[in-house]
Amino acid sequence: MNRAVRALDLLGAACLAVMVLLVAGNVLLRYVFNSGITVSEELARWLFVWLTFLGAIAALAQDAHMGSDMLLDRLGPRGRRALQLAATLLMLGTSVLLLQGAWQQTRINWDVQAPVSGASVGWFYASGVVFGVGAIACLLRRLWRLLRDQPVGLPPGAAMLKDV
């Protein structure tokens, strides 16, 4: 899992670097040479969506998403486990729905061309498919750990904001 998260981090960094180069290069070309790269805005937007979904998978794999543990801290071990189990099952169900919707949108838009680049709009919606698959894998791993009574997430009271 650590290798997969590392690969997602590197891919996200590459998306961010290309976005910065495209946007900064386009600004420079517009103001200095009164021209620009037509595809830069469209491509930067697509890369931003991919970056967001890839980052969400990496955060989910590391239990690094923001959350409120106010109720969780007040519960005993059994109540904490039950609440974590319920939350994981709800997230799993939501991720399955998101995957189904993203898959349908990808299939519907596969033959639609983007206005500037001409690339398939299906690639834009495929980011949701990749997120759905990655999220489901992370949540199944979390569910397995919960069912085996292994620790998941941060220990009680160890939220990062409390340490500041």
Side-chain angles (χ1 to χ4, degrees):
M1 184 64 87
N2 290 338
R3 286 183 187 167
V5 170
R6 181 73 178 140
L8 287 173
D9 288 342
L10 290 173
L11 194 54
C15 286
L16 185 60
V18 171
M19 281 173 49
V20 167
L21 288 173
L22 282 172
V23 173
N26 206 29
V27 168
L28 180 70
L29 285 172
R30 282 188 184 175
Y31 286 106
V32 175
F33 300 107
N34 202 24
S35 69
I37 308 167
T38 359
V39 76
S40 70
E41 187 178 332
E42 186 176 279
L43 189 56
R45 185 176 34 233
W46 285 25
L47 287 171
F48 182 71
V49 170
W50 274 91
L51 174 67
T52 303
F53 278 121
L54 293 175
I57 297 169
L60 188 59
Q62 298 172 336
D63 287 316
H65 278 285
M66 287 179 50
S68 174
D69 58 357
M70 184 174 59
L71 176 62
L72 207 59
D73 284 345
R74 289 187 168 88
L75 297 175
R78 295 178 85 201
R80 184 177 299 118
R81 184 171 173 259
L83 193 58
Q84 287 179 327
L85 188 60
T88 302
L89 288 172
L90 285 171
M91 289 188 293
L92 190 57
T94 303
S95 296
V96 167
L97 291 174
L98 192 141
L99 174 61
Q100 289 173 342
W103 177 250
Q104 288 174 356
Q105 285 298 321
T106 302
R107 286 183 42 224
I108 289 168
N109 289 291
W110 196 254
D111 294 327
V112 177
Q113 290 184 343
V116 179
S117 66
S120 169
V121 176
W123 286 109
F124 180 81
Y125 291 104
S127 61
V129 174
V130 170
F131 170 77
V133 169
I136 289 169
C138 292
L139 291 167
L140 286 175
R141 178 177 174 258
R142 180 184 173 92
L143 185 62
W144 176 253
R145 292 176 64 89
L146 279 168
L147 292 175
R148 294 184 64 210
D149 269 340
Q150 294 177 342
V152 295
L154 297 172
M160 290 177 23
L161 292 178
K162 292 181 182 177
D163 295 336
V164 175

